[in-house]
C-alpha cells in the first residue's frame, strides 16, 4: 500500500509554483524528498527554481545546513514540462489558482497519469476538499494539505480529511510534513478548516467593538498588544497588513458558508471600506494612515496629574475589586465598605457587564463611577470604561491614578465586557465550539493557532489560563445583555466551566 515516504526515491509533485507552490517545493527538497515542479505559465517554474536555490543557499550561508546538504537539496529539484512526468510520484500537491472547476479538472487529468495509490493533495484555503475530491474516480486518495504563507517560516500544515478521504492518506501526509520540518494538524473539511476558523474571533469581535462605537481601531489594537494578552498585532493592524480586499472576502465567505452563524458575522462598515478601496498598507490607507509604509501613531491623551482623594472599590468580596484595591493601595485612600463616602470616586471591575448597569445594581452613582478591566491584571496597558453619564472630572481622576506609574490607559465607552474580555472570550468560545464539533482535537487547535497565526497562546490555553468559569461568565453576561446568539457559550465551554475542568478535557 502506497510508497514508503522514507525511501530516498519518494517523489513529491508540486503543481503551481507561485507564492505557495515554491515554498512547498522548498521545504520538500530540504526535507529529503525528490521534487518535481510544474507551472502552466511559461517561465514560472524556472523562476521558482531560481528562488528555491537562492533560499536553500542562503540557509547554508546562515549555517542552518551544510554546503553539502544544500547542494544535495538543490539537486533533488526538477522542473517538468507536463503532467505526464508526475507518473511515478508518491504524492502530488497542487497550489494553482483557487478555482473549483480548474482544480477538479487538474485532479481528473492526474488520475489518468499517476499510480492508483498516489495521494492527490490540494493547498486550497477556501474550497471544500470534498467537492474537489467528488470529481475524482478515487476520492479516498484526495486530501487537503493547507500551508500558510510564508511556507518555510510558518511551520504548520493542516491535513484536511474530506468526507471520503481514507485514513492512510492523512497518515502519510502527517509523516511527509514532519520530514519537511512542519507540524501537521488534522482537521475536518469545514469552512476555514482549523486555523482560519479559529482565527475569526479576533476580527469579528474587533469589528463589532468598532461598529458599536465602543472604541477606535487603535484602542482595540493597543489593548490586544499591550493589555496583557500579548498579541503581536491587533485585528485592525492585521486587516491592514493582509489587505481588507482579502480579509473582508474571507470574513463574508466564512459567515455565509456557516449559514450565517452569528459568531462570524462581519459588520456593514467592512463592505463600505472595501468599496472605498481602504485596503490597508498596500494602498497607504486603511484603519490607519501609512507614510512610506509606516503607520502614523495615534495620539495618546495627556495624562492628568491630580489624584483622587479617595477611591471606593467594590463590591466587597469581588475578585476584580480585590485586584483594584491592591493596585490602589499606597497611591490613594482606598474604601471597600458597602457604600462610598461622599468624597470618593467609585471603581468597579465587572466581567462581561457594562459600567452603567454595574453602578445601578450596586446602588452607587453612575456619575462618579468608572470601570477598569482586571482580566489580565494591571501590569500592562489599562482599560478605563465610563458609564453613559460619568463626570469628566471623575474620569480624569481615575485616569491620573491608573497612569501614575506611567503605564498608558485606553478609554472606552460603556460596553458589556471590556475590549480584551470580549475578544478573548469570543476567541475561546469559537475554539471550544471547534472542539465540540470534533473538527480538530483541543491539542491541535492550540498548536495550529500558535504556529499558523502566531498567537501568544492557543485559544483553549487562553481559556484555561484565565479560567473557563470566567470566560463563561463574560459570555453569559454579554448574551444576557444583548440577547444576541453570537455570545451564547459553546456547550464544550459550558460543561467544562461547570465541572471545573480544563478546556482540553476530551469527551469520555
Ligand atoms: N497566498 C496565500 O497566502 C495562500 C495561503 C494558503 C493557501 N493558498 C492557496 O494556494 C493556492 C495557490 O495560491 P498562491 O498564492 O500560491 O497563488 P499564485 O498566483 O502565487 O500561484 C499560482 C500559480 O499556479 C499557476 N497555475 C494556475 N493554474 C494552473 C494550472 N491549471 N496548472 C498549472 N499551473 C497553474 C500559475 O501560473 C501560478 O504560477 C490557492 O489555492 C490558494 O488559495 C494561498
Amino acid at each position: 500500500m502506497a510508497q514508503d515516504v522514507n525511501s530516498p526515491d519518494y517523489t513529491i509533485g508540486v503543481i503551481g509554483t507561485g507564492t505557495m507552490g515554491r515554498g512547498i517545493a522548498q521545504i520538500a527538497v530540504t526535507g529529503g524528498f525528490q521534487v518535481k515542479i510544474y507551472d502552466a505559465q511559461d517561465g514560472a517554474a524556472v523562476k521558482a527554481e531560481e528562488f528555491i536555490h537562492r533560499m536553500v543557499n542562503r540557509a547554508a550561508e546562515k549555517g542552518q545546513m551544510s554546503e553539502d546538504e544544500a547542494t544535495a537539496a538543490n539537486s533533488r529539484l526538477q522542473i517538468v514540462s507536463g503532467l505526464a512526468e508526475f507518473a511515478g510520484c508518491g504524492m502530488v500537491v497542487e497550489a494553482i489558482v483557487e478555482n473549483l472547476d480548474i482544480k477538479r479538472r487538474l485532479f481528473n487529468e492526474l488520475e489518468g497519469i499517476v499510480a492508483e495509490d498516489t495521494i492527490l493533495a490540494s493547498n486550497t484555503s477556501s474550497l471544500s476538499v470534498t467537492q474537489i475530491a467528488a470529481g475524482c474516480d478515487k476520492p479516498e486518495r484526495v486530501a487537503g494539505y493547507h500551508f500558510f504563507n510564508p511556507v518555510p517560516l510558518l511551520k504548520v500544515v493542516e491535513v484536511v480529511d474530506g468526507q471520503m478521504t481514507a485514513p492512510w492518506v492523512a497518515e502519510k501526509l502527517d509523516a511527509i510534513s514532519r520530514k519537511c520540518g512542519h507540524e501537521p494538524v488534522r482537521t475536518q473539511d469545514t469552512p476555514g478548516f482549523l486555523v482560519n476558523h479559529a482565527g475569526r474571533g479576533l476580527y469579528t469581535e474587533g469589528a463589532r467593538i468598532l461598529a458599536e462605537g465602543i472604541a477606535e481601531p487603535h484602542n482595540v489594537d493597543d489593548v490586544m498588544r499591550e493589555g496583557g494578552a500579548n498579541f503581536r498585532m491587533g485585528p485592525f493592524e492585521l486587516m491592514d497588513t493582509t489587505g481588507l480586499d482579502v480579509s473582508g472576502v474571507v470574513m463574508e465567505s466564512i459567515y455565509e458558508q456557516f449559514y450565517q452563524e452569528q459568531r462570524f458575522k462581519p459588520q456593514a462598515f467592512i463592505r463600505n471600506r472595501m468599496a472605498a478601496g481602504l485596503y490597508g498598507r498596500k494602498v497607504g490607507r486603511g484603519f490607519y494612515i501609512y507614510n512610506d509604509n509606516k503607520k502614523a501613531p495615534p495620539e495618546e491623551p495627556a495624562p492628568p496629574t491630580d489624584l483622587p482623594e479617595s477611591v471606593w472599590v467594590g463590591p466587597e468580596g469581588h475578585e476584580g475589586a480585590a485586584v483594584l484595591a491592591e493596585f490602589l493601595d499606597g497611591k490613594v485612600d482606598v474604601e471597600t465598605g458597602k457604600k462610598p463616602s461622599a468624597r470618593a470616586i467609585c471603581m468597579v471591575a465587572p466581567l462581561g457587564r457594562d459600567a452603567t448597569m454595574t453602578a445601578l445594581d450596586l446602588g452607587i452613582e453612575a456619575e462618579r463611577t468608572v470601570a477598569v478591566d482586571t482580566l489580565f491584571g494591571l501590569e500592562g496597558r489599562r482599560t478605563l470604561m465610563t458609564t453613559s453619564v460619568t463626570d469628566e472630572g471623575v474620569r480624569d481622576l481615575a485616569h491620573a491614578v491608573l497612569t501614575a506609574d506611567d503605564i498608558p490607559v485606553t478609554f472606552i465607552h460603556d460596553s458589556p465586557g471590556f475590549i480584551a474580555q470580549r475578544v478573548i472570550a469570543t476567541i475561546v468560545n469559537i475554539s471550544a465550539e471547534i472542539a465540540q464539533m470534533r473538527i480538530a482535537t483541543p491539542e491541535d487547535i492550540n498548536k495550529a493557532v500558535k504556529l499558523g497565526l502566531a498567537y501568544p497562546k492557543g485559544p483553549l490555553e487562553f481559556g484555561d489560563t484565565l479560567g473557563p468559569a470566567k470566560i463563561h461568565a463574560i459570555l453569559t453576561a454579554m448574551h444576557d445583555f444583548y440577547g444576541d446568539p453570537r455570545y451564547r457559550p459553546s456547550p464544550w465551554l459550558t460543561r467544562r466551566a461547570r465541572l471545573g475542568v480544563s478546556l482540553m478535557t476530551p469527551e469520555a
Side-chain angles (χ1 to χ4, degrees):
M1 165 67 71
Q3 298 175 31
D4 176 6
V5 302
N6 292 314
S7 150
D9 297 329
Y10 192 93
T11 305
I12 294 178
V14 179
I15 305 182
T17 59
T19 311
M20 299 305 287
R22 60 181 56 186
I24 299 169
Q26 181 189 330
I27 61 163
V29 288
T30 52
F33 293 104
Q34 306 295 327
V35 177
K36 292 182 174 178
I37 57 173
Y38 169 74
D39 197 289
Q41 197 192 320
D42 268 356
V46 173
K47 275 201 198 126
E49 182 190 45
E50 286 165 7
F51 174 84
I52 293 165
H53 286 172
R54 223 171 30 245
M55 289 298 120
V56 170
N57 294 340
R58 194 176 295 168
E61 280 160 24
K62 285 188 189 163
Q64 291 160 353
M65 62 174 81
S66 71
E67 291 287 335
D68 287 351
E69 282 166 339
T71 309
N74 282 329
S75 74
R76 287 192 284 269
L77 185 67
Q78 185 193 345
I79 297 178
V80 299
S81 56
L83 297 185
E85 293 183 64
F86 288 110
C89 287
M91 191 267 276
V92 179
V93 55
E94 68 78 16
I96 64 166
V97 58
E98 186 78 337
N99 176 299
L100 179 63
D101 287 339
I102 300 179
K103 287 192 196 285
R104 282 173 85 152
R105 239 180 288 144
L106 175 69
F107 277 9
N108 270 152
E109 206 176 333
L110 282 169
E111 277 200 304
I113 294 167
V114 299
E116 298 243 312
D117 54 7
T118 295
I119 295 171
L120 298 182
S122 171
N123 186 45
T124 181
S125 37
S126 63
L127 300 172
S128 149
V129 171
T130 306
Q131 282 188 39
I132 296 173
C136 290
D137 291 336
K138 289 188 184 309
E140 61 273 17
R141 55 138 121 210
V142 177
Y145 202 34
H146 184 222
F147 287 89
F148 298 86
N149 184 22
V151 177
L153 294 184
L154 295 176
K155 294 184 178 296
V156 64
V157 53
E158 294 178 326
V159 175
V160 187
D161 280 312
Q163 205 65 51
M164 305 293 285
T165 310
W168 67 266
V169 174
E171 280 159 25
K172 290 271 180 204
L173 290 176
D174 280 0
I176 292 171
S177 315
R178 292 211 172 86
K179 269 194 82 172
C180 294
H182 272 49
E183 274 292 329
V185 288
R186 293 283 277 277
T187 170
Q188 297 299 319
D189 182 22
T190 45
F193 305 137
L194 173 48
V195 170
N196 285 336
H197 184 170
R200 285 305 86 209
L202 183 62
Y203 299 105
T204 54
E205 198 51 28
R208 170 72 181 250
I209 289 168
L210 175 58
E212 208 177 308
I214 294 165
E216 294 300 315
H218 71 91
N219 299 135
V220 178
D221 290 341
D222 288 348
V223 168
M224 293 316 294
R225 268 188 282 99
E226 303 165 17
N230 295 333
F231 278 65
R232 284 217 309 223
M233 277 195 251
F236 298 101
E237 289 162 336
L238 272 168
M239 284 187 258
D240 269 6
T241 303
T242 311
L244 199 61
D245 49 337
V246 176
S247 46
V249 172
V250 176
M251 249 189 248
E252 299 256 352
S253 143
I254 292 197
Y255 172 61
E256 293 300 338
Q257 288 187 72
F258 275 109
Y259 299 102
Q260 307 193 339
E261 164 57 60
Q262 295 300 300
R263 290 190 182 110
F264 306 130
K265 188 171 164 181
Q267 300 295 327
F269 75 81
I270 302 265
R271 215 177 266 180
N272 275 347
R273 296 183 74 95
M274 284 164 78
L278 297 170
Y279 297 153
R281 256 178 208 284
K282 64 174 108 175
V283 294
R285 224 180 135 193
F287 293 104
Y288 297 89
I289 306 280
Y290 298 86
N291 300 312
D292 297 329
N293 207 24
K294 280 208 189 72
K295 194 170 91 176
E299 280 173 30
E300 295 271 0
T305 46
D306 287 348
L307 295 179
E309 273 180 59
S310 175
V311 179
W312 176 87
V313 296
E316 266 179 322
H318 183 269
E319 189 187 321
V323 173
L324 281 175
E326 194 187 331
F327 170 80
L328 294 168
D329 189 35
K331 297 184 178 75
V332 289
D333 284 350
V334 181
E335 302 176 20
T336 53
K338 276 238 165 329
K339 292 284 169 203
S341 70
R343 65 189 187 120
I345 67 165
C346 306
M347 269 192 197
V348 290
L351 279 180
R353 308 203 58 225
D354 72 0
T356 303
M357 303 309 279
T358 305
L360 292 173
D361 286 353
L362 290 173
I364 55 177
E365 289 159 51
E367 288 80 355
R368 55 172 171 145
T369 300
V370 294
V372 180
D373 191 3
T374 57
L375 183 68
F376 284 97
L378 292 168
E379 295 288 306
R381 175 179 281 273
R382 290 145 197 166
T383 306
L384 179 63
M385 179 158 85
T386 40
T387 72
S388 298
V389 294
T390 302
D391 285 339
E392 211 172 308
V394 168
R395 190 197 65 185
D396 286 350
L397 290 169
H399 183 188
V401 71
L402 284 173
T403 198
D405 52 1
D406 290 333
I407 303 279
V409 172
T410 290
F411 293 103
I412 65 169
H413 293 293
D414 208 0
S415 157
F418 296 85
I419 291 169
Q421 291 186 10
R422 296 178 65 128
V423 175
I424 294 291
T426 301
I427 289 172
V428 174
N429 199 33
I430 288 173
S431 280
E433 189 67 5
I434 292 175
Q436 180 66 49
M437 292 165 85
R438 314 294 195 269
I439 291 171
T441 64
E443 288 76 15
D444 274 359
I445 294 170
N446 281 340
K447 199 197 296 175
V449 170
K450 277 195 280 190
L451 293 173
L453 297 174
Y455 283 14
K457 283 191 173 71
L460 300 175
E461 203 181 343
F462 261 123
D464 275 346
T465 311
L466 296 166
K470 218 179 250 182
I471 301 292
H472 189 264
I474 293 169
L475 290 164
T476 307
M478 290 178 73
H479 191 220
D480 286 349
F481 184 88
Y482 286 118
D484 185 335
R486 87 194 245 119
Y487 299 113
R488 72 196 188 283
S490 160
W492 185 277
L493 171 64
T494 302
R495 295 188 185 115
R496 281 152 188 78
R498 296 290 298 276
L499 286 165
V501 298
S502 159
L503 294 178
M504 305 301 286
T505 313
E507 288 289 280

